[in-house]
């Protein structure tokens, strides 16, 4: 099978589920108010920790976008354990990645992935409730939720098929290309040399996945392709859990916003539970090999002569066009900030923004400051544009208060 045939097959398998998943994510974003989540997370008990994980699992937030949301929940008086549970469970999966996981890796992985995220989040939250005092958490500035206006149907479509694709489109594209390359380039017996040492596989994957920024959807084709080359199901699960759950940037931001002890428990919970779930999956090796290898084979190893169905081809074409459009607009926005400015407009450099959720969090943090008439953030350009006479010190305090790095005027 050549590279382009492999890429076509993977895209066609994922496209229908991704388009449906993006739509459901848009509905959740528009019709479920932020206050709904805070209302169930404010009590300092085990139930709030469970609710945080249950509410976080279907949300399509990445490991960077979840941080300002979690800080906002803390400012809404959510318990520290609920914040930890939300931080751990949410980025590991989402409604879009659950459907995409089913499309490439079968029902088994589609079930165990959200279950593992839920249990890991709950356990991490309970540990934080027991071991972290309230005064250990760093005080952060208020980040009240912005009320979005406009036609709801249009907002659903815009969030589903523009905002989300702009956020993860490039990483998803990279994941698809890497998956196709793995299928073509990596020898079939490559990972079989680790067959008697599945724990070594997991530790290698863990060392690669933890510091990297991998989105929950983009990790799926890579994990599927690696399994076809002999990676154990447990090690593939480690990639699907640890990769999206944490990265070096999110660790630094959580440390700054939540404190050292909170961050240590947050990181160790992710690492330990990913390995435990990987070992548990491999403990049922005979059952796992039959189920998971067949589902991977059916999704990714289609005959080179067999074209995908017309429906899948249409979905793949639509998804490709949406990704191209979103990435072109993202690239275009990178240069529009360099236009001549009005005298009362100032551009500041803000780092550690990676997605539309980060942009929204920064805008919410500064828009109510005295002297701010209008604010706009750009993750692609790492800029915050302020219209009005607000002072730089006030802007700095608000931005750093929600965990982002303020670098002064651009």
């Amino acid at each position: 099978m050549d590279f382009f045939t492999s890429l076509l097959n993977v895209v066609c398998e994922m496209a229908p589920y991704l388009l449906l998943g993006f739509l459901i994510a848009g509905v959740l974003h528009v019709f479920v108010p932020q206050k709904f989540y805070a209302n169930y997370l404010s009590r300092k008990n085990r139930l709030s920790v469970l609710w945080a994980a249950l509410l976080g699992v279907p949300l399509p937030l990445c490991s960077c976008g979840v941080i300002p949301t979690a800080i906002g929940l803390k400012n809404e008086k959510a318990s520290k354990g609920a914040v930890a549970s939300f931080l751990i469970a949410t980025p590991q999966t989402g409604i879009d990645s659950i459907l995409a996981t089913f499309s490439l890796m079968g029902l088994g992985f589609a079930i165990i992935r959200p279950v593992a995220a839920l249990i890991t989040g709950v356990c991490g939250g309970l540990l934080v409730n027991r071991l972290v005092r309230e005064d250990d958490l760093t005080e952060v500035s208020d980040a009240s939720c912005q009320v979005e206006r406009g036609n709801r149907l249009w907002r659903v479509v815009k969030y589903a098929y523009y905002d989300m694709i702009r956020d993860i489109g490039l990483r998803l594209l990279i994941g698809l290309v890497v998956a196709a390359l793995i299928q073509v380039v990596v020898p079939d017996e490559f990972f079989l040399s680790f067959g008697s040492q599945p724990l070594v596989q997991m530790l290698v994957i863990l060392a690669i996945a933890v510091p990297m920024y991998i989105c929950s959807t983009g990790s799926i084709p890579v994990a599927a392709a690696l399994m076809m080359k002999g990676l154990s199901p447990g090690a593939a699960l480690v990639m699907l859990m640890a990769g999206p759950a944490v990265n070096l940037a999110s660790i630094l931001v959580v440390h700054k916003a939540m404190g050292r002890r909170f961050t240590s428990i947050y990181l160790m919970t992710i690492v330990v539970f990913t390995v435990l779930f990987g070992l548990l999956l491999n403990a049922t090796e005979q059952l796992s090999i039959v189920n998971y290898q067949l589902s991977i084979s059916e999704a990714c190893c289609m005959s080179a002569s067999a074209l995908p169905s017309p429906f899948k081809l249409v979905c793949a074409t639509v998804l490709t066009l949406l990704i191209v459009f979103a990435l072109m607009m993202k690239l275009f926005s990178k240069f529009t900030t360099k236009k001549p400015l009005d005298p009362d407009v100032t551009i500041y450099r803000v780092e550690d923004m990676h997605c539309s959720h980060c942009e929204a969090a920064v805008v919410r943090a500064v828009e109510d400051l005295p002297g701010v008439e209008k604010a706009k953030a750009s993750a692609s350009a790492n800029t915050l544009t302020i219209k009005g006479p607000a002072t730089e010190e006030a802007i700095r305090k608000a931005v750093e208060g929600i965990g982002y790095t303020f670098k002064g005027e651009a």
Side-chain angles (χ1 to χ4, degrees):
M1 183 185 299
D2 61 37
F3 169 76
F4 291 104
T5 303
S6 175
L7 180 61
L8 175 64
N9 288 336
V10 175
V11 174
C12 285
E13 287 300 321
M14 291 188 69
Y17 297 92
L18 281 174
L19 293 174
L20 176 60
F22 287 149
L23 178 62
I24 296 173
V27 172
L28 288 174
H29 175 76
V30 172
F31 288 94
V32 182
Q34 291 286 337
K35 292 288 185 182
F36 172 82
Y37 300 108
N39 289 339
Y40 288 91
L41 308 182
S42 58
R43 297 175 183 174
K44 298 175 176 58
N45 56 25
R46 295 176 183 177
L47 191 58
S48 70
V49 170
L50 176 61
W51 272 116
L54 285 172
L55 294 171
V57 163
L59 292 182
L61 289 174
C62 60
S63 56
C64 65
V66 72
I67 293 172
T69 306
I71 293 175
L73 291 175
K74 178 179 178 293
N75 291 329
E76 294 286 346
K77 308 305 180 184
S79 70
K80 59 186 183 297
V83 172
S85 180
F86 188 82
L87 272 173
I88 293 169
T90 304
Q92 291 189 47
T93 186
I95 190 65
D96 57 320
S97 62
I98 292 171
L99 291 172
T101 302
F102 173 74
S103 71
L104 274 192
M105 305 184 76
L107 182 62
F109 267 106
I111 293 174
I112 195 172
R113 194 178 183 188
V115 170
L118 176 67
I119 294 174
T120 305
V122 170
C123 292
L126 293 176
L127 285 172
V128 166
N129 263 347
R130 178 171 291 273
L131 300 176
V132 180
R133 300 187 304 272
E134 288 290 348
D135 54 6
D136 284 337
L137 299 181
T138 305
E139 288 298 323
V140 294
S141 62
D142 182 42
S144 59
C145 296
Q146 184 181 23
V147 178
E148 295 184 73
R149 293 180 173 83
N151 182 274
R152 286 193 169 189
L153 180 60
W154 165 247
R155 284 162 50 201
V156 168
V157 173
K158 178 179 179 294
Y159 181 81
Y161 298 121
Y162 177 71
D163 292 343
M164 281 198 68
I165 294 177
R166 186 188 64 167
D167 292 342
I168 73 168
L170 180 59
R171 299 177 188 92
L172 176 60
L173 185 61
I174 292 172
L176 293 169
V177 171
V178 169
L181 283 173
I182 289 171
Q183 292 184 38
V184 174
V185 175
V186 178
D188 289 342
E189 67 278 3
F190 179 76
F191 282 101
L192 296 180
S193 59
F194 296 100
S196 60
Q197 298 175 306
L199 183 59
V200 175
Q201 286 188 356
M202 295 179 201
L203 294 178
V204 170
I205 293 295
L206 201 59
I208 296 171
V210 166
M212 290 179 61
Y213 187 95
I214 307 173
C215 73
S216 60
T217 304
S219 63
I220 298 167
V222 178
L226 289 174
M227 277 190 66
M228 291 176 59
K229 300 300 179 179
L231 189 71
S232 69
L237 183 63
V238 168
M239 169 172 280
L240 292 174
M241 290 179 65
V246 67
N247 63 74
L248 186 58
S250 68
I251 293 171
L252 296 175
V253 175
V254 169
H255 180 272
K256 183 176 182 180
M258 301 294 186
R260 179 179 58 82
R261 184 177 297 184
F262 183 103
T263 306
S264 299
I265 298 172
Y266 156 77
L267 182 59
M268 289 306 299
T269 300
I270 292 170
V271 171
V272 171
F273 274 84
T274 53
V275 174
L276 287 177
F277 273 104
L279 292 173
L280 180 63
L281 194 58
N282 280 342
T284 59
E285 185 173 0
Q286 289 184 339
L287 179 62
S288 298
I289 286 178
V290 172
N291 287 346
Y292 296 131
Q293 284 190 349
L294 283 177
S295 62
I296 294 292
S297 177
E298 290 168 1
C300 299
C301 295
M302 300 168 66
S303 170
S305 61
L307 287 175
S309 68
F311 173 72
K312 290 182 178 179
L313 285 171
V314 170
C315 290
T317 302
V318 171
L319 179 64
T320 302
L321 292 175
L322 288 171
I323 291 175
V324 170
F325 174 75
L327 293 182
M328 286 181 63
M329 293 300 294
K330 186 175 183 178
L331 181 64
F332 176 74
S333 69
K334 204 168 186 177
F335 299 99
T336 56
T337 56
K338 298 182 179 180
K339 291 181 178 180
L341 302 174
D342 296 332
D344 61 342
V345 172
T346 307
I347 296 181
Y348 299 101
R349 184 167 182 81
V350 177
E351 297 183 351
D352 303 322
M353 293 188 296
H354 298 284
C355 62
S356 59
H357 299 286
C358 300
E359 294 172 349
V362 171
V363 169
R364 286 196 299 267
V366 302
E367 64 183 353
D368 292 329
L369 294 175
V372 175
E373 299 173 13
K374 187 176 181 181
K376 181 179 180 182
S378 171
S380 59
N382 290 322
T383 58
L384 171 63
T385 304
I386 299 293
K387 179 177 176 61
T391 64
E392 180 174 329
E393 186 58 33
I395 301 294
R396 176 189 298 276
K397 184 176 180 181
V399 170
E400 292 183 345
I402 57 170
Y404 292 95
T405 303
F406 185 84
K407 293 288 188 179
E409 287 194 32

